[in-house]
Amino acid sequence: ENGHEKIDYVFKVVVIGDSAVGKTQILSRFTKNEFCFDSKSTIGVEFQTRTVTIKSKVIKAQIWDTAGQERYRAVTSAYYRGALGAMLVYDITKRQTFDHVARWVEELRAHADTSIVIMLVGNKADLVDQRAVPSEDAVEFSEDQGLFFSETSALNGDNVETAFFRVLEEIYGVV
Ligand code: GDP
Ligand code: MG
């Protein structure tokens, strides 16, 4: 985590999914270990970075956030260009955001590299009382589609680190 080390690799990872599922907060949790309670909808920040070490290689994760382009097909192919990983986020309390996941996978298959590592992320796992998407549904979908799967909470930090590391390690394994 310091700026003096030499960087061995830069891995671009995109964060996608419907609006308000917590994409920006997941990113902020991973890169700054922060959760912002009064965050506005994303205001044009392109990406944030965090440097990690995997198997003694220094890897700069360059993680891209959509700038309110979450409408279907509004994310441009430039966003996906060069991406080695994708965090496809839905909200476990909003069934519709999970029902749209298949569209986002289509988007990835259309615009991203075929070898992209995809992690399906069920966020807001802290809101257990409001759960609308059983984990089993997401497990089944992930297995069908060949995705990794994790449930996270950007609010309390659960699994955020693990999910990103899983993706970065998987990318590292194929470069
Ligand atoms: P985005 O539109 O996908 O970037 O979503 P945001 O990151 O802006 O989050 C949308 C809303 O969900 C905000 O009010 C966040 O505070 C809230 N939120 C994000 N992540 C979580 C989480 O893990 N748990 C809970 N309870 N709320 C969250
Ligand atoms: Mg956002």
Side-chain angles (χ1 to χ4, degrees), residues 90 92 95 98 120 122 131-145 147-151:
Y90 67 93
I92 67 148
R95 181 73 204 187
F98 177 73
L120 179 63
R131 179 186 286 275
V133 182
S135 310
E136 298 72 38
D137 292 13
V139 168
E140 191 185 340
F141 182 85
S142 305
E143 284 173 356
D144 279 356
Q145 296 285 325
L147 319 177
F148 294 97
F149 170 62
S150 182
E151 286 191 352

Side-chain angles (χ1 to χ4, degrees), residues 17-26 35-37 39-42 65 70 123-127 152-156:
D18 282 8
S19 187
V21 296
K23 298 182 298 298
T24 301
Q25 294 303 329
I26 285 174
F35 184 89
C36 185
F37 282 95
S39 75
K40 310 283 182 299
S41 56
T42 311
D65 193 8
E70 295 97 335
N123 188 45
K124 309 197 189 181
D126 54 284
L127 300 175
T152 63
S153 168
L155 179 62
N156 64 27

Side-chain angles (χ1 to χ4, degrees), residues 5 27 36 50 57 61-62 79 103 109 131 146 164 166 170:
E5 274 178 297
L27 183 50
C36 185
R50 177 171 160 189
K57 295 291 182 195
Q62 187 188 76
Y79 185 73
R103 291 181 180 179
R109 305 278 186 230
R131 179 186 286 275
F164 273 101
R166 186 73 192 84
E170 192 65 23

